[in-house]
Amino acid sequence: PQKVRSITLVGDKKMVAWDDCNALEPIRIYDKGVTQEPYYENYGEFRLLLREGDVVMPKVNLVEPLKLQSQHFLECLSKRQQPVSDGRFGWEVVKVLEAIETSMKQGGAPQRIEHTATSTQHTDDR
């Protein structure tokens, strides 16, 4: 009954929430985290301390993604330029998604993603 398109990224110092259905403030950055008591002698003294700070909602100029992508594609055709999201870029995105899936299956274990020299150069040009 309700359309939801959101994702939350949680780090040890901050948390970012993105809500694609919220046109006024789609991104919220929370200065929130958990710190471990630096010194404790036994398990009974072990504590995690919650830290809460400000919430920042940066201004985001929203545009229709498909319209923007189509305009960019047509511009690249007319000017004979390489599009930002070409086949190689799509391949790199798939590698990242595969690494995320592998990480999730391994309980969040970090994964290495190999980039080709040409794709790194292409990425740096953007």
Side-chain angles (χ1 to χ4, degrees):
Q2 182 177 351
K3 181 165 94 171
V4 177
R5 289 189 301 215
S6 64
I7 189 167
T8 301
L9 303 171
V10 180
D12 58 348
K13 295 180 182 160
K14 296 198 183 216
M15 179 175 82
V16 176
W18 171 72
D19 181 357
D20 192 41
C21 297
N22 186 339
L24 296 176
E25 45 193 47
I27 297 175
R28 290 178 175 225
I29 304 169
Y30 297 85
D31 185 14
K32 189 175 198 173
V34 177
T35 56
Q36 180 179 326
E37 185 86 17
Y39 303 104
Y40 54 92
E41 292 183 21
N42 58 46
Y43 182 75
E45 292 178 358
F46 176 79
R47 291 190 305 166
L48 293 176
L49 305 172
L50 295 176
R51 180 186 50 77
E52 293 203 32
D54 294 330
V55 178
V56 177
M57 292 157 282
K59 180 173 175 19
V60 178
N61 294 326
L62 298 176
V63 292
E64 182 59 41
L66 187 56
K67 180 180 178 182
L68 190 64
Q69 178 182 343
S70 300
Q71 288 173 338
H72 175 68
F73 178 73
L74 292 173
E75 185 178 318
C76 287
L77 286 177
S78 67
K79 295 182 178 179
R80 297 190 177 272
Q81 296 176 338
Q82 184 172 353
V84 172
S85 55
D86 60 1
R88 185 173 304 281
F89 180 81
W91 180 46
E92 296 290 338
V93 170
V94 169
K95 289 194 311 189
V96 169
L97 293 172
E98 288 174 341
I100 291 169
E101 184 177 14
T102 301
S103 175
M104 288 171 37
K105 287 178 180 176
Q106 296 177 358
Q111 302 296 310
R112 180 173 295 282
I113 302 171
E114 298 297 328
H115 297 280
T116 59
T118 53
S119 65
T120 303
Q121 178 184 359
H122 180 73
T123 303
D124 291 343
D125 290 341
R126 280 184 243 145

